[in-house]
């Protein structure tokens, strides 16, 4: 499936709503599970988007890394809803896709899959369209490897992909693909789904995508 097709499917789905403004959808193609995470669409989402102090992500009482507090709160509302499908042994590949607010959740979902399904680490994929920064702190190798198969897609001047500011200690994970042209859109218009979709449709052949890595 192309990036254009993935983005279209992410922005044209019917989502299941859970608490704290979390919205998700899943679909199965054979042994492949697709997880889609929706963009902001209400006051609760925006309140969580702006709740950006870093909070420790803990397992078994040991702090492993830090994440944007608002996004982490929403993800923790989603994890239980997705756990059964993620842990299904019949699932042999998981692809996580999100846009904007949903892209931030995709960052956390991708790591959840990486941690809980070590058998799938060579084949999992994650895509964050118009993704804000989510992770805070030191970029250790142990942290970096969790998102080796995650791709952030930035329509070059997209304001959302530049927040929270890097000067506050936040950073993007995985690799980044830059689409569009600098100055073509305002920072707000660059984030609009119709403009991201247009730039994705204009991408060169898959073999040349490496040239667009930021």
């Amino acid at each position: 499936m192309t990036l254009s097709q993935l983005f279209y499917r992410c922005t044209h789905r019917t989502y299941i709503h859970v608490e704290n403004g979390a919205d998700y959808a899943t679909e199965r193609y054979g042994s492949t599970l697709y997880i889609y995470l929706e963009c902001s669409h209400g006051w609760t989402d925006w309140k969580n988007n702006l709740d950006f102090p870093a909070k420790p992500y803990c397992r078994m009482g040991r702090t492993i890394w830090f994440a944007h507090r608002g996004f982490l709160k929403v993800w923790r509302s989603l994890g239980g809803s997705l756990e059964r499908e993620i842990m299904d042994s019949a699932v042999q590949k998981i692809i996580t896709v999100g846009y904007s607010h949903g892209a931030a959740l995709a960052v956390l979902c991708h790591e959840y899959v990486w941690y809980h399904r070590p058998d799938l680490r060579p084949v999992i994929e994650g895509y964050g369209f118009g993704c804000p920064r989510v992770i805070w702190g030191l970029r250790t190798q142990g942290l970096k490897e969790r998102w080796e198969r995650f791709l952030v897609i930035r329509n070059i001047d997209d304001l959302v992909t530049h927040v929270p500011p890097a000067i506050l200690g936040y950073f993007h994970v995985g690799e980044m693909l830059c689409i569009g042209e600098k100055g073509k859109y305002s920072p707000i218009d660059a984030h609009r789904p119709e403009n991201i979709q247009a730039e994705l449709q204009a991408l060169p052949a898959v073999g040349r995508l490496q040239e667009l890595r930021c």
Side-chain angles (χ1 to χ4, degrees):
M1 197 178 296
T2 66
L3 291 176
S4 177
Q5 290 169 330
L6 278 175
F7 185 67
Y8 183 87
R9 296 181 77 85
C10 184
T11 54
H12 289 78
R13 306 207 64 78
T14 298
Y15 283 89
I16 298 170
H17 178 77
V18 297
E19 65 179 349
N20 291 319
D23 300 272
Y24 75 97
T26 61
E27 62 181 348
R28 287 273 293 270
Y29 286 97
S31 60
T32 299
L33 171 67
Y34 286 82
I35 301 173
Y36 297 97
L37 298 154
E38 193 178 23
C39 62
S40 303
H41 62 88
W43 166 243
T44 300
D45 287 347
W46 281 108
K47 183 174 69 172
N48 288 319
N49 292 350
L50 297 172
D51 184 16
F52 59 80
K55 183 175 181 177
Y57 194 118
C58 302
R59 291 196 178 96
M60 297 178 288
R62 186 168 66 92
T63 299
I64 297 182
W65 42 274
F66 291 78
H68 180 293
R69 185 169 65 186
F71 296 141
L72 189 55
K73 176 182 177 181
V74 181
W75 166 245
R76 284 176 170 160
S77 298
L78 274 172
S81 300
L82 292 167
E83 180 179 9
R84 187 174 68 174
E85 289 188 82
I86 290 172
M87 298 307 297
D88 184 350
S89 61
V91 170
Q92 291 301 302
K93 184 173 184 177
I94 299 177
I95 298 173
T96 307
V97 186
Y99 163 51
S100 191
H101 170 91
L105 300 181
V107 168
L108 298 173
C109 182
H110 183 85
E111 193 278 337
Y112 182 93
V113 173
W114 182 92
Y115 184 85
H116 290 280
R117 290 296 305 268
D119 55 313
L120 302 186
R121 288 177 185 174
V123 297
I124 59 173
E125 296 176 19
Y127 300 91
F129 296 92
C131 187
R133 298 183 178 102
V134 181
I135 308 304
W136 179 92
L138 297 175
R139 305 189 199 199
T140 65
Q141 182 57 37
L143 198 60
K144 182 180 178 181
E145 66 185 12
R146 296 166 187 260
W147 289 281
E148 285 179 344
R149 298 181 61 83
F150 191 89
L151 182 66
V152 173
I153 300 92
R154 167 188 278 172
N155 195 9
I156 291 180
D157 292 320
D158 183 347
L159 175 65
V160 171
T161 65
H162 292 277
V163 296
I167 196 170
L168 297 181
Y170 282 93
F171 59 91
H172 282 294
V173 297
E175 293 190 77
M176 181 177 287
L177 181 74
C178 287
I179 60 176
E181 301 173 20
K182 193 164 184 62
K184 183 175 181 179
Y185 305 103
S186 72
I188 293 175
D189 286 341
H191 188 67
R192 297 189 189 282
E194 62 270 22
N195 293 329
I196 294 175
Q197 188 72 66
E199 297 303 330
L200 289 170
Q201 290 173 344
L203 283 178
V206 173
R208 292 180 54 208
L209 284 182
Q210 187 65 34
E211 300 172 15
L212 301 176
R213 303 283 166 147
C214 300

